[in-house]
Amino acid sequence: MKKFVMSIAVAGAIFAAPQAASALSIGDTGSDVADLQDALAEEGYMEPTQNHGGTFGPQTEAAVQSFQSDQGLSSPAGSFYGVAGPSTMSALGASSNGSGEVAGATSTNNNAGGSGVVSAGTDVVGSPYQWGGTTPAGFDCSGFINYAFEQNGENIPRTVAGMWDAGTSVSTPQPGDIVFFETRSGPSHAGIYMGNNEFVHAGSSTGVTVSSLNESYWSSNYIGAKRL
């Protein structure tokens, strides 16, 4: 019972913190969308003389899809096809919070290099689950996290327990930090925090997918975040 109350309290602190959007998609509005549209126009994917209005509508979605397809970032089969996430924004030379910083990050306690880890993780969304797997052909939970860090030149412990022991606790996770869950005894599942209370992870029943810390299952089993 104590663990449950502590998990809810810690998770509640995360949920209460304002976060910038980690991705832009149809229906979004504001300066972030306007910056995205300007970047797409500079690359020739939108009409530069058009007043795009800072609204992510069908034309913007089509432009994002064309850019992703040309750059090999996603395809019609991809979960993020038409969504301007960290990989797409980075390729365009844009930021997803209008300030040049990683979406969801703050100017203090920032996780340098976290955006690259997030991008490596979201790039393989849809990969199947495989016990002991460490490649896009199949990942287990910790193998997926290892892969994302290795794509950014970082070696980390292979197991969830090892990551937990090696990491530095953070009260408010930033993109690229690891969020941990006690689905069995002790730290037994983990994912890469993306911002906006979302994390990407390899679930045994889902494969690599994006989930929300707001979901009751994850909030009740959350035990903390650490930085590697």
Side-chain angles (χ1 to χ4, degrees), residues 111 114 170 172-179 191-193 225-228:
N111 183 8
V170 291
T172 303
Q174 304 296 317
D177 289 338
I178 309 301
V179 288
I192 301 168
Y193 188 71
K226 294 201 173 187
R227 183 163 302 158
L228 294 171

Side-chain angles (χ1 to χ4, degrees), residues 182-197:
E182 187 173 4
T183 56
R184 297 187 298 276
S185 178
S188 49
H189 188 70
I192 301 168
Y193 188 71
M194 299 170 58
N196 200 34
N197 292 331

Side-chain angles (χ1 to χ4, degrees), residues 3 6-7 10-11 14 141-142 145-146 149 156-170 173 176-184 186-193 199-201 213 217-228:
K3 177 184 78 68
M6 180 189 72
S7 298
V10 174
I14 294 174
C141 162
S142 57
I145 297 173
N146 267 259
F149 275 81
I156 63 173
R158 174 63 178 86
T159 66
V160 171
M163 294 176 203
W164 174 264
D165 291 339
T168 301
S169 295
V170 291
D177 289 338
I178 309 301
V179 288
F180 292 87
F181 307 89
E182 187 173 4
T183 56
R184 297 187 298 276
S188 49
H189 188 70
I192 301 168
Y193 188 71
F199 64 102
V200 58
H201 63 120
L213 288 169
Y217 177 80
W218 298 116
S219 65
S220 63
N221 288 291
Y222 177 78
I223 56 174
K226 294 201 173 187
R227 183 163 302 158
L228 294 171

Side-chain angles (χ1 to χ4, degrees), residues 79-95:
S79 299
F80 286 86
Y81 188 55
V83 176
S87 294
T88 300
M89 300 299 278
S90 176
L92 280 166
S95 66

Side-chain angles (χ1 to χ4, degrees), residues 40-213:
L40 287 165
E42 289 177 4
E43 294 293 331
Y45 289 90
M46 297 189 77
E47 188 65 42
T49 58
Q50 181 180 350
N51 180 12
H52 306 301
T55 298
F56 198 124
Q59 289 183 327
T60 303
E61 182 181 49
V64 169
Q65 290 171 339
S66 294
F67 178 78
Q68 290 173 327
S69 179
D70 289 348
Q71 298 296 316
L73 295 170
S74 188
S75 69
S79 299
F80 286 86
Y81 188 55
V83 176
S87 294
T88 300
M89 300 299 278
S90 176
L92 280 166
S95 66
S96 51
N97 63 4
S99 65
E101 297 177 342
V102 178
T106 60
S107 59
T108 60
N109 196 34
N110 190 27
N111 183 8
S115 61
V117 173
V118 171
S119 294
T122 56
D123 283 347
V124 293
V125 164
S127 294
Y129 181 87
Q130 179 181 322
W131 187 83
T134 59
T135 74
F139 290 109
D140 66 11
C141 162
S142 57
F144 162 70
I145 297 173
N146 267 259
Y147 172 85
F149 275 81
E150 286 172 358
Q151 300 310 298
N152 288 270
E154 299 183 50
N155 293 317
I156 63 173
R158 174 63 178 86
T159 66
V160 171
M163 294 176 203
W164 174 264
D165 291 339
T168 301
S169 295
V170 291
S171 58
T172 303
Q174 304 296 317
D177 289 338
I178 309 301
V179 288
F180 292 87
F181 307 89
E182 187 173 4
T183 56
R184 297 187 298 276
S185 178
S188 49
H189 188 70
I192 301 168
Y193 188 71
M194 299 170 58
N196 200 34
N197 292 331
E198 293 183 324
F199 64 102
V200 58
H201 63 120
S204 59
S205 61
T206 61
V208 180
T209 189
V210 173
S211 297
S212 172
L213 288 169

